[in-house]
Amino acid sequence: MIAGAHAILWLREDGTGNDACRFADAEGGYLIDGSSTGSDGEVLRYRVRARKDGTTRRARIGRKSRLIARRAKDDTWTLNDTPMPDVTGAKDIDLGFTPATLTLPIRRLHLDVGKETELFVARLDVETGRLTPLNLVLRRVAGDTYEMDTAETGTTSRFTVDEEGIVQSQPGQWTAQA
């Protein structure tokens, strides 16, 4: 049974492309189901399932071949059944081609304004078919505004979310359409 569904369409600000996504409560957890279209017109389908506690359970990404990332309850990860020890301990997956996966830690952590937390995330690189570690600092700067520092790149991005924790604007990257 799926209840509490929310749909969104993001347009890329840094090039041609879009992402259409649906968020829903499902199977005692949370479901993210979407399609991202790149500047080359290629469509990349994805589905992320989270546990009741808001941590990633699995992610499926389709293209010419399907990638399936799974997180066990002990925070170990596999990608297409191959162990990925470099991301052991990560609770979240990051799909770099969509802002959708930011919703999971936003909803799970319930940060108060002015508070921040460090996140260790499993980033899926679709091109290489690998899960790589990503170290982030997530900071809530206003009721609907967050900043995210990425240690690996030394960059900071700012984004706004709606009442469900779904990204509405990530300047220079994504803008949600009404």
Side-chain angles (χ1 to χ4, degrees), residues 88-167:
T88 296
K91 300 203 178 295
D92 301 295
I93 194 160
D94 175 69
L95 304 178
F97 56 85
T98 177
T101 50
L102 287 172
T103 301
L104 294 175
I106 295 290
R107 288 176 55 110
R108 183 178 77 250
L109 297 170
H110 305 287
L111 290 177
D112 291 328
V113 173
K115 298 295 181 182
E116 67 180 42
T117 190
E118 293 181 14
L119 293 172
F120 178 61
V121 176
R123 181 173 191 123
L124 179 63
D125 184 331
V126 175
E127 296 303 316
T128 65
R130 294 178 34 106
L131 286 175
T132 58
L134 190 61
N135 294 286
L136 306 172
V137 174
L138 183 64
R139 177 181 317 104
R140 190 169 190 179
V141 296
D144 68 345
T145 307
Y146 289 79
E147 286 182 345
M148 184 172 59
D149 300 330
T150 306
E152 287 73 10
T153 62
T155 59
T156 299
S157 64
R158 183 176 274 237
F159 56 95
T160 59
V161 300
D162 66 10
E163 62 280 353
E164 298 296 325
I166 300 169
V167 173

Side-chain angles (χ1 to χ4, degrees), residues 9-13 15 17-19 173-177:
L9 171 65
W10 292 288
L11 297 181
R12 291 195 73 86
E13 289 185 0
N18 64 60
D19 190 305
Q173 297 178 346
W174 298 98
T175 300
Q177 300 301 295

Side-chain angles (χ1 to χ4, degrees), residues 16-38:
T16 305
N18 64 60
D19 190 305
C21 186
R22 178 177 62 108
F23 298 84
D25 297 325
E27 296 180 11
Y30 200 59
L31 168 71
I32 302 172
D33 188 28
S35 296
S36 186
T37 304

